[in-house]
Amino acid sequence: MTEYRYVSKPRRTKEDRRFVTGQGSFVGDIKCHGMKHVALVMSPFPSAEIKSIDATEALALDGVHYVLTGLELENATNSLMSGLDLPNYHRYPLASKVTRYAGEWVAAVVADSRYIAEDAAELVYVDYEALDFVVDPEEAIKPGAPLVHPEIGGNIFFQRKFEWGPVDDDFESADHAISYRARWSRNSTVPIETFGVVAQWSSSEKLLDVWASIQMPKYQEQISNALKLSSNSVRVHYDVDVGGSYGVKRGIKHSVLVGYLSMKLGYPVRLIEDRLENMIGGDAHGPDRIFDVDMAFDGEGIIKSLRMRALDDAGASPGRAPLQLGKPVTAIVGPYRIGSVEYEAISVSTHKTTQEAVRGFGQSPTNFAIEVGIDKVARFLNLDRFEVRRRNFIQKDEFPYEIPSGTSYDSGDYHAVLNKTEKLANIRSLISKRDQIRAEGKFAGIGIATCLEPSGGNAGFEPLFNEKNPTTTWMESCQVKIDLNGSITGIIATTSAGQGHESLVSTVIGEVLQRNPDSIRVTRTDSLASLPSNSPVGSRMAIMLGGAAQGASEKIRKQLIRIAAHNLQLPVNQLEYCNGDVLARKEPHIKIEWCELIEIAHRRYHDLPDNMEPGLQARHVWEVPTGGSMPTPDGKVQMYPCYSFEAHIPLVSIDPLTGQVTIQDYYIGHDCGTQINPHIVHGMTYGGIAHGIGAALYEKFEYNDDGQLLAGTFMDYLLPSAHEIPKVNMVDHCTPSPLTPMGQKGSGEGGYLGAPAAIASAVNDALEPIGSEILTLPMRVQDIEEVLCDAIQAG
């Protein structure tokens, strides 16, 4: 194992100081002279024809400057982009002729303040004619169902069945097979900060400046395409702190809306969602998925084959939802040696708000569906659930390991991580504790989930789901410079949503250049001044931004060694870099120190080697490892380079009278390769587990039969609080990736990718004595209470 100086060492994150002192700069802190504010008019109907809009009274209110309708915006802009090949599908920020979900934006009011804009929005009169609608995805795919987009001829955005390996033969030859349905209900990340954006158009420069709480690749390009501008007429400022995201801070319709208004009106314009706008129409809901699964296995619990049909309710527009069915292709068998797979992905449109990318990009629901099956196989054969997993794990000496869908896993030691986690949990003691709780008259269960976190994504799902999109490049970049005084600056091109990018980059640069990371400043540039970036999505920044920072630092280090070699008149291979100085390996007293090397680079051109540019600066643009290939015709693709692993073991108890679940203990073993900053990794994982507990027990965007969202506030959309989240006990393991410079893998989705499955496993272990189980998430109190009542009535 490589011994690092700064990497993998506990270190306070650089971002802490500004956040704990209240000096973060969020979009709400952006103030522009003369700035106007937007409030939205939203449709009360899940589907309706817009007959007319009368804004006369609204415009008469003091302080109101404009009311924008969907028809005007549609005529002035291009359709928002879609990841799928849907030539007849068009989408704009405001509905123009029909509305497609309750809460869809119909008009935007611009006023001197948000308060005035909201008052005016209530004075905009829209004449609707209600239309038929559908909110159940299984009803939506039936013939005769109301169509969300009649122009595309049906409610299916995407459908494809993949088959990798001899599935039918494996099922036929297997000793046993089980079938089950697992349901992952619509939930999301719901950050405290809703989405916000400020746009300011300069008519003299023909330049649109944008500040946004954004986490999205190709943001600048999508705004410019929609507004019919060249990309260099849009400047996105990345020095904005983002108050939480995990995928949902896309905001492209918000940004196009305020960009258009700023260009039309000549004012800076700001839109910051209120909570209801965010929850009901902010394009921020997550996967809403029904899994129908068959598993074939032998008498020893060895799983031979898997059939999975995933029906996903994308809502009114495709957004990124269909592609979230694509990512699981990269880990469709989890950490298990399953020889063949049939996977059918179906993305369905309904009259609900649009689904968007959420942490894990569809992997956590799939992990839940797979883990349910592993537990079921164990119960079918009366085997230990932990042992069945061990029997099916890929062995540590089998890596790199290619799964049936064509992805090669980079490295791992799943047995070691599970063993460590069991040891941490003292599993025998934990079983005794469970049994003691049961003896006291409560229900109690131990959960187990062993899951993968694909990381460093290369967007392979884009061409897999749309052959006309040949995207195989998914780079990240970093620039490093050393000034005349020897100060080091790293320059990056992403916003911060709390992932610790500045800490990451300074640590990597410090490691390579052997300089204290605390002395290294990291800045965020803007889209015009920056190198290419694909933003912090897909659990990729430790891998990609870390790799880019390392690449740029290595170039400077080589430059310093060349300067020393030239001035010492020694070959490069006889020199050694040490703490910024360069010295002769055999005679270390012969050296040039850091300060002199810097001076030569900046001031003594006559001492520079021939053809070396002066100054000390380097940039590195790094393509994702293993990227660059299109999918094969049968859908095999290398989608992600690195695969982190996590094993979860929770103990829960259930009140037999109320169905209330209490998490008594929680243990996790986590292997994300080399941890650049253990504090950040642990923080990510703790948060991910809390997020997963919410998905398992509480969070759901529920719609009623009238197509109305019932969870538009935090009174109705339940989030776990500190009272519901237990102390999390964590053990680390490190299996370095051979594909990254320091062996790092991703960790941004850690915890969340296994916690829902683990909690579900624990609840069902608790319910097993009464012969019951729940396979729908979230398992809310009323759901568990109903199961308990049914069991009592059944005797």
Side-chain angles (χ1 to χ4, degrees), residues 519-582:
S519 70
I520 299 171
R521 183 173 298 279
V522 178
T523 66
R524 300 169 184 275
T525 181
D526 62 65
S527 59
L528 293 183
S530 69
L531 298 170
S533 169
N534 280 295
S535 80
V537 296
S539 192
R540 65 191 294 271
M541 297 312 272
I543 296 170
M544 296 305 300
L545 183 56
Q550 168 138 357
S553 304
E554 293 279 8
K555 290 175 181 176
I556 288 187
R557 180 167 153 152
K558 289 179 180 176
Q559 191 176 349
L560 291 168
I561 294 174
R562 278 190 63 203
I563 292 172
H566 178 73
N567 285 273
L568 293 174
Q569 295 296 295
L570 289 171
V572 165
N573 61 10
Q574 292 184 18
L575 297 177
E576 182 176 338
Y577 184 92
C578 181
N579 299 325
D581 303 337
V582 179

Side-chain angles (χ1 to χ4, degrees), residues 414-456:
Y414 308 149
H415 292 85
V417 177
L418 181 55
N419 291 342
K420 276 188 171 183
T421 314
E422 278 193 297
K423 184 178 180 181
L424 177 72
N426 192 349
I427 194 68
R428 290 183 182 278
S429 174
L430 200 68
I431 292 171
S432 297
K433 185 174 179 178
R434 178 196 64 181
D435 294 344
Q436 180 60 38
I437 295 171
R438 288 178 174 178
E440 294 170 357
K442 290 186 177 181
F443 294 92
I446 294 173
I448 172 67
T450 49
C451 303
L452 294 179
E453 178 186 355
S455 51

Side-chain angles (χ1 to χ4, degrees), residues 38 66 68 108 110 256-266 269:
V38 172
Y66 200 68
L68 175 66
V110 184
V256 171
L257 177 68
V258 299
Y260 172 79
L261 286 169
S262 182
M263 293 172 65
K264 180 179 181 68
L265 304 178
V269 178

Side-chain angles (χ1 to χ4, degrees), residues 270-292:
R270 182 170 89 171
L271 168 59
I272 296 181
E273 298 170 327
D274 65 19
R275 182 58 58 190
L276 182 60
E277 288 167 347
N278 175 260
M279 303 280 267
I280 198 172
D283 292 354
H285 290 190
D288 188 353
R289 202 163 291 184
I290 300 169
F291 294 96
D292 289 301

Side-chain angles (χ1 to χ4, degrees), residues 458-471:
N458 64 14
F461 43 77
E462 303 255 11
L464 182 65
F465 275 34
N466 182 2
E467 293 178 351
K468 295 180 180 177
N469 181 354
T471 299

Side-chain angles (χ1 to χ4, degrees), residues 205-336:
E205 296 185 69
K206 300 296 181 186
L207 182 63
L208 184 70
D209 280 293
V210 178
W211 297 263
S213 53
I214 195 73
Q215 183 199 355
M216 181 180 187
K218 309 292 188 290
Y219 178 62
Q220 171 194 13
E221 292 85 352
Q222 292 199 51
I223 294 173
S224 63
N225 289 341
L227 293 176
K228 303 179 180 179
L229 296 171
S230 61
S231 292
N232 62 7
S233 294
V234 177
R235 178 167 58 194
V236 179
H237 296 262
Y238 295 131
D239 56 346
V240 176
D241 290 312
V242 179
S245 175
Y246 286 108
V248 297
K249 290 287 182 67
R250 295 273 160 169
I252 186 63
K253 70 177 184 183
H254 314 59
S255 307
V256 171
L257 177 68
V258 299
Y260 172 79
L261 286 169
S262 182
M263 293 172 65
K264 180 179 181 68
L265 304 178
Y267 302 121
V269 178
R270 182 170 89 171
L271 168 59
I272 296 181
E273 298 170 327
D274 65 19
R275 182 58 58 190
L276 182 60
E277 288 167 347
N278 175 260
M279 303 280 267
I280 198 172
D283 292 354
H285 290 190
D288 188 353
R289 202 163 291 184
I290 300 169
F291 294 96
D292 289 301
V293 184
D294 303 319
M295 271 189 184
F297 52 97
D298 67 14
E300 299 300 315
I302 304 301
I303 300 165
K304 302 295 184 183
S305 188
L306 169 72
R307 291 194 182 106
M308 177 180 288
R309 178 181 185 267
L311 178 71
D312 192 62
D313 181 351
S317 300
R320 302 292 287 174
L323 302 180
Q324 293 191 87
L325 287 163
K327 175 176 176 177
V329 168
T330 197
I332 195 66
V333 296
Y336 309 115

Side-chain angles (χ1 to χ4, degrees), residues 405-646:
S405 60
T407 283
S408 179
Y409 294 168
D410 57 334
S411 65
D413 189 344
Y414 308 149
H415 292 85
V417 177
L418 181 55
N419 291 342
K420 276 188 171 183
T421 314
E422 278 193 297
K423 184 178 180 181
L424 177 72
N426 192 349
I427 194 68
R428 290 183 182 278
S429 174
L430 200 68
I431 292 171
S432 297
K433 185 174 179 178
R434 178 196 64 181
D435 294 344
Q436 180 60 38
I437 295 171
R438 288 178 174 178
E440 294 170 357
K442 290 186 177 181
F443 294 92
I446 294 173
I448 172 67
T450 49
C451 303
L452 294 179
E453 178 186 355
S455 51
N458 64 14
F461 43 77
E462 303 255 11
L464 182 65
F465 275 34
N466 182 2
E467 293 178 351
K468 295 180 180 177
N469 181 354
T471 299
T472 60
T473 306
W474 207 248
M475 78 294 271
E476 194 56 52
S477 63
C478 182
Q479 184 175 354
V480 178
K481 66 177 185 178
I482 304 175
D483 61 31
L484 177 59
N485 292 334
S487 298
I488 304 172
T489 302
I491 303 168
I492 61 178
T494 69
T495 51
S496 164
Q499 304 97 327
H501 299 155
E502 294 158 37
S503 302
L504 160 72
V505 169
S506 63
T507 302
V508 171
I509 295 173
E511 185 70 43
V512 175
L513 295 178
Q514 299 176 11
R515 311 298 290 181
N516 187 343
D518 291 342
S519 70
I520 299 171
R521 183 173 298 279
V522 178
T523 66
R524 300 169 184 275
T525 181
D526 62 65
S527 59
L528 293 183
S530 69
L531 298 170
S533 169
N534 280 295
S535 80
V537 296
S539 192
R540 65 191 294 271
M541 297 312 272
I543 296 170
M544 296 305 300
L545 183 56
Q550 168 138 357
S553 304
E554 293 279 8
K555 290 175 181 176
I556 288 187
R557 180 167 153 152
K558 289 179 180 176
Q559 191 176 349
L560 291 168
I561 294 174
R562 278 190 63 203
I563 292 172
H566 178 73
N567 285 273
L568 293 174
Q569 295 296 295
L570 289 171
V572 165
N573 61 10
Q574 292 184 18
L575 297 177
E576 182 176 338
Y577 184 92
C578 181
N579 299 325
D581 303 337
V582 179
L583 47 87
R585 186 169 288 117
K586 293 182 179 179
E587 298 178 273
H589 64 282
I590 300 175
K591 64 179 180 181
I592 301 181
E593 295 184 346
W594 169 263
C595 291
E596 185 176 358
L597 291 169
I598 304 300
E599 181 179 305
I600 293 171
H602 280 277
R603 302 187 64 182
R604 291 159 49 183
Y605 191 71
H606 58 283
D607 285 333
L608 283 179
D610 292 342
N611 302 318
M612 178 178 283
E613 69 178 22
L616 281 168
Q617 56 282 322
R619 62 183 189 178
H620 192 71
V621 182
W622 200 37
E623 163 68 350
V624 61
T626 71
S629 298
M630 291 287 285
T632 62
D634 62 349
K636 289 188 175 183
V637 60
Q638 180 72 44
M639 201 175 292
Y640 283 65
C642 303
Y643 292 80
S644 301
F645 176 74
E646 56 198 52

